[in-house]
Amino acid sequence: MKTVRFALALLALSLVAPLQSAKAADVICYNCPPEWADWASMLKAIKTDLNYDIPHDNKNSGQALAQILAEKNNPVGDIGYFGVTFGMKAKAQDALEPYKPANWDQVAPGLKDPDGYWTTLDDHSFRHARAVREQGCARR
């Protein structure tokens, strides 16, 4: 009797529930949480301007790198947003593909890999590390 009820419940659900296939994201970005670096607005603008769906992803830089390395032989992600040292590590482990967007030549040489494996927009951490090294500043 329980089997009959279960079968009837499944049949009822199949008749009531609309048949929808899962919708995949157009682009996968690792470490693009909505509250960091204004990803919420950027992803909304990308959807509006380019009609690409990119879901939010709440990884940190280390988790994004770990994901990229785990998928090295079968990549899933399209974009990794993380600190530049993580980009350097991913390149060293042959886990990235080069990409040079429009206006690549306008990016300062110290803010990009010459072959296009990573690009950064801010050299603050580089400047801080240099100051610590050159001036012997104590780490804070």
Side-chain angles (χ1 to χ4, degrees):
M1 187 62 162
K2 288 183 182 180
T3 305
V4 172
R5 277 190 248 161
F6 180 71
L8 289 174
L10 284 177
L11 177 62
L13 282 174
S14 69
L15 295 174
V16 174
L19 297 175
Q20 296 180 356
S21 60
K23 184 176 184 277
D26 296 315
V27 177
I28 301 296
C29 175
Y30 294 143
N31 188 19
C32 55
E35 59 281 325
W36 183 254
D38 198 24
W39 274 105
S41 294
M42 287 190 283
L43 297 180
K44 185 176 179 182
I46 289 168
K47 176 63 176 171
T48 300
D49 296 345
L50 303 173
N51 201 30
Y52 289 143
D53 284 315
I54 305 176
H56 299 277
D57 182 72
N58 288 317
K59 290 176 184 62
N60 60 36
S61 293
Q63 292 167 328
L65 177 61
Q67 185 89 34
I68 289 168
L69 293 176
E71 297 171 354
K72 180 178 167 180
N73 295 323
N74 190 20
V76 175
D78 300 294
I79 302 166
Y81 175 72
F82 38 70
V84 69
T85 56
F86 291 91
M88 292 173 179
K89 289 177 184 181
K91 179 189 176 190
Q93 296 191 42
D94 198 31
L96 300 177
E97 291 184 14
Y99 173 72
K100 294 182 180 180
N103 302 314
W104 173 258
D105 295 334
Q106 295 179 22
V107 178
L111 299 179
K112 63 184 177 184
D113 175 77
D115 298 318
Y117 284 92
W118 56 263
T119 307
T120 186
L121 302 175
D122 181 13
D123 68 348
H124 176 74
S125 59
F126 285 137
R127 286 182 280 132
H128 177 72
R130 189 176 324 119
V132 169
R133 187 173 53 251
E134 291 174 2
Q135 299 171 14
C137 299
R139 200 169 186 196
R140 297 177 200 185

